[in-house]
């Protein structure tokens, strides 16, 4: 990644401090450690390669050198934002969708934390919290995006198909510009996180909306239903065959289209 280019591009948005690494274990781990010391709001950790990138529940996230975007944004939630922290994953996902839309691509959110292009995963989001007693003090929003084809793991390692921006846009993708647009999008959406229109925008880009889906829970339990939309807190709203309403909360859950 061209550091001069990166600095110039990011200087256009009001970030805190920026730390760049050619290679790191996980930008989220670095950001969590920084968040517990002296990181300002909107500080960012960016890496060209991750050797121990993480998805949810410690699943592996691949970030081979020079092929992807991998960064973590530190937020100090304001008092107004604190009631809506469960919406933050949606806010980050919407910023990713918007950045892709600017480039003529129609992306969708596979609830809760993945962004799909042509039905394949192009980006993943991992939101983690730093607590101070009973209160969330900081959030770390980690985003990984496959830019070049080389970022996509071999099929054998995937539970869900994956893609890269190169497959839609060709190899001349400006990583720094996309990073800029996602960060600027998060900053622009933040003041709207508590609004009803925010939930409506998130619902509008949900993958499989109106379709039959399956939710696999960590204990092996499966829920089948039609995906209706979102609850107030960002939980998923389904209806079963008897039209009973079901709510799927964040946690060890995986969403799939009904086979
Ligand atoms: P899925 O629906 O893909 O099974 P999940 O929600 O259960 O995802 P996550 O924790 O969101 O799991 O994502 C981690 C998973 O993403 C890994 O287990 C791996 O299969 C897949 N993965 C890892 N690296 C990448 C990548 N660069 N691009 C796309 N998928 C990846
Ligand atoms: C997922 O789909 O489970 C989320 C993947 C999140 C990956 C990003 S890459 C930057 C940040 N650092 C990590 O270790 N994980 C997140």
């Amino acid at each position: 990644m061209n550091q001069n280019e990166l600095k110039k591009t990011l200087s256009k948005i009001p970030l805190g401090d920026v730390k760049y690494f050619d290679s790191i274990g996980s930008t989220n781990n670095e950001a969590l450690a920084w968040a517990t010391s002296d990181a300002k709001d909107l500080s960012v950790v960016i890496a060209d390669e991750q050797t121990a990138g993480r998805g949810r529940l410690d699943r592996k996230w691949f970030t081979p050198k020079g092929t992807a975007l991998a960064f973590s944004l530190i937020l100090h939630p304001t008092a107004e934002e604190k009631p809506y922290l469960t919406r933050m994953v949606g806010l980050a996902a919407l910023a990713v969708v918007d950045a892709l839309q600017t480039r003529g691509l129609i992306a969708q959110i596979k609830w809760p934390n993945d962004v799909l292009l042509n039905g394949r995963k192009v980006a993943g989001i991992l939101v983690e919290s730093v607590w101070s007693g009973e209160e969330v003090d900081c959030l770390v929003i980690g985003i990984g995006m496959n830019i070049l084809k080389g970022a996509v793991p071999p099929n054998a390692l995937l539970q869900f198909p994956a893609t890269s921006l190169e497959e839609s846009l060709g190899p001349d993708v400006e990583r720094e510009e996309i990073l800029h647009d996602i960060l600027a999008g998060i900053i622009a959406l933040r003041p709207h996180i508590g609004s009803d229109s925010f939930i409506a925008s998130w619902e509008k880009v949900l993958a499989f909306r109106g379709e039959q889906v399956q939710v696999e829970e960590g204990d092996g339990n499966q829920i089948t239903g039609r995906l209706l939309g979102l609850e107030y807190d960002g939980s998923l709203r389904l209806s079963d065959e008897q039209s009973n309403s079901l709510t799927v909360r964040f946690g060890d859950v995986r969403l799939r289209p009904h086979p």
Side-chain angles (χ1 to χ4, degrees), residues 3 5 34-35 40 50-51 53-54 72-73 75 79 86-87 92 95 119 128 133 146 158 162 173 178 186 240:
Q3 276 197 67
E5 194 60 36
W34 194 11
K40 294 183 203 146
Q50 291 186 119
T51 54
R54 296 185 287 112
S72 302
L73 175 69
L75 295 186
T86 55
R87 296 182 176 196
E128 296 184 292
N146 301 328
L158 293 175
V173 185
I178 295 176
I186 291 175
D240 69 11

Short mmCIF file of all heavy atoms in Angstrom, two decimals, residues 3 5 34-35 40 50-51 53-54 72-73 75 79 86-87 92 95 119 128 133 146 158 162 173 178 186 240:
data_model
loop_
_atom_site.label_atom_id
_atom_site.label_comp_id
_atom_site.label_asym_id
_atom_site.label_seq_id
_atom_site.Cartn_x
_atom_site.Cartn_y
_atom_site.Cartn_z
N GLN A 3 2.00 4.47 1.15
CA GLN A 3 1.71 5.22 2.40
C GLN A 3 1.50 6.71 2.17
O GLN A 3 0.71 7.34 2.88
CB GLN A 3 2.84 5.01 3.39
CG GLN A 3 2.65 3.73 4.17
CD GLN A 3 3.50 3.72 5.41
OE1 GLN A 3 3.27 4.50 6.33
NE2 GLN A 3 4.49 2.85 5.41
N GLU A 5 0.29 8.10 -0.57
CA GLU A 5 -1.05 8.19 -1.16
C GLU A 5 -2.12 8.06 -0.08
O GLU A 5 -3.10 8.79 -0.02
CB GLU A 5 -1.18 7.06 -2.19
CG GLU A 5 -2.34 7.17 -3.14
CD GLU A 5 -2.29 8.44 -3.98
OE1 GLU A 5 -1.18 8.88 -4.38
OE2 GLU A 5 -3.38 8.98 -4.20
N TRP A 34 -4.97 -0.41 21.68
CA TRP A 34 -4.85 1.05 21.58
C TRP A 34 -6.05 1.73 22.24
O TRP A 34 -5.91 2.72 22.97
CB TRP A 34 -4.74 1.42 20.11
CG TRP A 34 -4.29 2.80 19.79
CD1 TRP A 34 -3.76 3.73 20.64
CD2 TRP A 34 -4.35 3.42 18.50
NE1 TRP A 34 -3.48 4.89 19.96
CE2 TRP A 34 -3.82 4.73 18.65
CE3 TRP A 34 -4.77 3.01 17.23
CZ2 TRP A 34 -3.71 5.61 17.57
CZ3 TRP A 34 -4.66 3.89 16.17
CH2 TRP A 34 -4.14 5.17 16.34
N ALA A 35 -7.23 1.14 22.03
CA ALA A 35 -8.46 1.71 22.60
C ALA A 35 -8.42 1.71 24.12
O ALA A 35 -8.99 2.60 24.76
CB ALA A 35 -9.67 0.92 22.11
N LYS A 40 -7.63 8.28 20.34
CA LYS A 40 -8.69 9.28 20.16
C LYS A 40 -9.85 8.65 19.38
O LYS A 40 -9.64 7.66 18.67
CB LYS A 40 -8.17 10.45 19.31
CG LYS A 40 -7.09 11.25 19.95
CD LYS A 40 -6.75 12.41 18.99
CE LYS A 40 -5.35 12.92 19.26
NZ LYS A 40 -4.66 13.37 18.05
N GLN A 50 -2.61 -9.36 7.09
CA GLN A 50 -2.87 -9.86 8.45
C GLN A 50 -2.46 -11.33 8.49
O GLN A 50 -2.81 -12.11 7.59
CB GLN A 50 -4.34 -9.75 8.81
CG GLN A 50 -4.84 -8.32 8.99
CD GLN A 50 -6.27 -8.28 9.49
OE1 GLN A 50 -6.55 -7.76 10.55
NE2 GLN A 50 -7.18 -8.84 8.72
N THR A 51 -1.74 -11.67 9.54
CA THR A 51 -1.32 -13.08 9.66
C THR A 51 -2.24 -13.85 10.60
O THR A 51 -2.18 -15.07 10.66
CB THR A 51 0.13 -13.15 10.20
OG1 THR A 51 0.18 -12.40 11.42
CG2 THR A 51 1.11 -12.58 9.18
N GLY A 53 -5.82 -12.66 11.05
CA GLY A 53 -7.09 -11.93 10.93
C GLY A 53 -8.21 -12.80 11.49
O GLY A 53 -8.22 -14.01 11.33
N ARG A 54 -9.18 -12.14 12.15
CA ARG A 54 -10.25 -12.88 12.82
C ARG A 54 -11.61 -12.49 12.31
O ARG A 54 -11.87 -11.33 12.01
CB ARG A 54 -10.24 -12.59 14.33
CG ARG A 54 -9.03 -13.04 15.07
CD ARG A 54 -9.19 -12.81 16.57
NE ARG A 54 -9.11 -11.40 16.95
CZ ARG A 54 -10.11 -10.69 17.42
NH1 ARG A 54 -11.32 -11.21 17.56
NH2 ARG A 54 -9.94 -9.43 17.77
N SER A 72 -9.23 -1.26 11.15
CA SER A 72 -10.09 -1.20 12.33
C SER A 72 -10.21 0.23 12.79
O SER A 72 -9.20 0.93 12.93
CB SER A 72 -9.48 -2.06 13.45
OG SER A 72 -9.33 -3.38 13.01
N LEU A 73 -11.45 0.65 12.99
CA LEU A 73 -11.75 2.02 13.38
C LEU A 73 -12.17 2.03 14.85
O LEU A 73 -13.02 1.23 15.26
CB LEU A 73 -12.90 2.53 12.51
CG LEU A 73 -13.47 3.91 12.80
CD1 LEU A 73 -12.45 5.00 12.43
CD2 LEU A 73 -14.75 4.13 12.00
N LEU A 75 -14.04 3.83 17.87
CA LEU A 75 -15.06 4.86 18.16
C LEU A 75 -15.25 4.99 19.67
O LEU A 75 -15.31 3.98 20.37
CB LEU A 75 -16.42 4.47 17.56
CG LEU A 75 -16.58 4.38 16.06
CD1 LEU A 75 -18.05 4.12 15.72
CD2 LEU A 75 -16.10 5.64 15.37
N ALA A 79 -23.06 9.86 24.14
CA ALA A 79 -24.23 9.49 24.95
C ALA A 79 -25.44 9.22 24.04
O ALA A 79 -26.24 8.32 24.30
CB ALA A 79 -24.55 10.60 25.94
N THR A 86 -26.01 -1.73 19.12
CA THR A 86 -26.25 -2.96 18.34
C THR A 86 -26.51 -2.63 16.86
O THR A 86 -26.54 -3.53 16.03
CB THR A 86 -27.45 -3.76 18.89
OG1 THR A 86 -28.58 -2.90 18.92
CG2 THR A 86 -27.17 -4.32 20.27
N ARG A 87 -26.70 -1.35 16.55
CA ARG A 87 -26.89 -0.96 15.15
C ARG A 87 -25.57 -0.68 14.45
O ARG A 87 -25.55 -0.42 13.24
CB ARG A 87 -27.76 0.30 15.07
CG ARG A 87 -29.18 0.10 15.59
CD ARG A 87 -29.97 1.40 15.42
NE ARG A 87 -31.36 1.25 15.81
CZ ARG A 87 -32.32 2.12 15.48
NH1 ARG A 87 -32.03 3.20 14.79
NH2 ARG A 87 -33.56 1.92 15.87
N ALA A 92 -21.71 0.18 9.71
CA ALA A 92 -20.47 -0.10 8.98
C ALA A 92 -20.79 -0.80 7.65
O ALA A 92 -20.23 -0.46 6.60
CB ALA A 92 -19.55 -0.97 9.83
N ALA A 95 -22.07 1.63 5.12
CA ALA A 95 -21.00 2.46 4.55
C ALA A 95 -20.25 1.68 3.47
O ALA A 95 -19.84 2.25 2.45
CB ALA A 95 -20.05 2.92 5.66
N GLY A 119 -24.16 -12.11 -4.76
CA GLY A 119 -24.44 -13.25 -3.89
C GLY A 119 -23.21 -13.87 -3.24
O GLY A 119 -23.30 -14.92 -2.62
N GLU A 128 -16.18 -5.10 17.95
CA GLU A 128 -15.84 -5.56 19.31
C GLU A 128 -15.87 -4.37 20.27
O GLU A 128 -15.69 -3.22 19.84
CB GLU A 128 -14.46 -6.22 19.30
CG GLU A 128 -14.47 -7.48 18.43
CD GLU A 128 -13.15 -8.24 18.45
OE1 GLU A 128 -12.16 -7.71 17.94
OE2 GLU A 128 -13.14 -9.37 18.97
N GLY A 133 -16.55 -1.09 33.37
CA GLY A 133 -17.64 -1.50 34.26
C GLY A 133 -18.80 -2.03 33.43
O GLY A 133 -18.63 -2.91 32.60
N ASN A 146 -12.17 -7.95 0.20
CA ASN A 146 -11.35 -8.57 -0.84
C ASN A 146 -11.29 -7.63 -2.04
O ASN A 146 -12.31 -7.40 -2.69
CB ASN A 146 -11.95 -9.91 -1.26
CG ASN A 146 -12.07 -10.87 -0.10
OD1 ASN A 146 -11.24 -10.84 0.82
ND2 ASN A 146 -13.07 -11.72 -0.12
N LEU A 158 -13.91 -22.23 2.56
CA LEU A 158 -15.07 -21.34 2.69
C LEU A 158 -16.35 -22.11 2.99
O LEU A 158 -16.59 -23.16 2.42
CB LEU A 158 -15.27 -20.55 1.40
CG LEU A 158 -14.18 -19.54 1.05
CD1 LEU A 158 -14.46 -18.94 -0.32
CD2 LEU A 158 -14.11 -18.45 2.10
N ALA A 162 -17.21 -16.69 -1.96
CA ALA A 162 -16.58 -15.36 -1.79
C ALA A 162 -16.19 -14.79 -3.15
O ALA A 162 -16.08 -15.51 -4.15
CB ALA A 162 -15.35 -15.49 -0.91
N VAL A 173 -8.28 -1.25 -9.06
CA VAL A 173 -9.14 -0.77 -7.98
C VAL A 173 -8.27 0.01 -7.00
O VAL A 173 -7.23 -0.47 -6.56
CB VAL A 173 -9.81 -1.96 -7.24
CG1 VAL A 173 -10.78 -1.44 -6.20
CG2 VAL A 173 -10.52 -2.87 -8.21
N ILE A 178 -11.22 3.58 -1.74
CA ILE A 178 -12.34 2.83 -1.15
C ILE A 178 -12.30 2.96 0.37
O ILE A 178 -13.33 3.20 1.02
CB ILE A 178 -12.30 1.36 -1.59
CG1 ILE A 178 -12.51 1.28 -3.10
CG2 ILE A 178 -13.37 0.53 -0.87
CD1 ILE A 178 -12.39 -0.09 -3.66
N ILE A 186 -18.97 6.12 7.19
CA ILE A 186 -19.27 5.84 8.61
C ILE A 186 -19.45 7.16 9.36
O ILE A 186 -20.40 7.34 10.13
CB ILE A 186 -18.14 4.98 9.24
CG1 ILE A 186 -18.16 3.57 8.64
CG2 ILE A 186 -18.28 4.94 10.77
CD1 ILE A 186 -17.01 2.66 9.09
N ASP A 240 -42.55 -17.59 10.44
CA ASP A 240 -42.54 -19.03 10.14
C ASP A 240 -43.75 -19.41 9.29
O ASP A 240 -44.54 -18.54 8.89
CB ASP A 240 -42.44 -19.87 11.43
CG ASP A 240 -43.69 -19.79 12.28
OD1 ASP A 240 -44.72 -19.27 11.79
OD2 ASP A 240 -43.67 -20.25 13.43
#
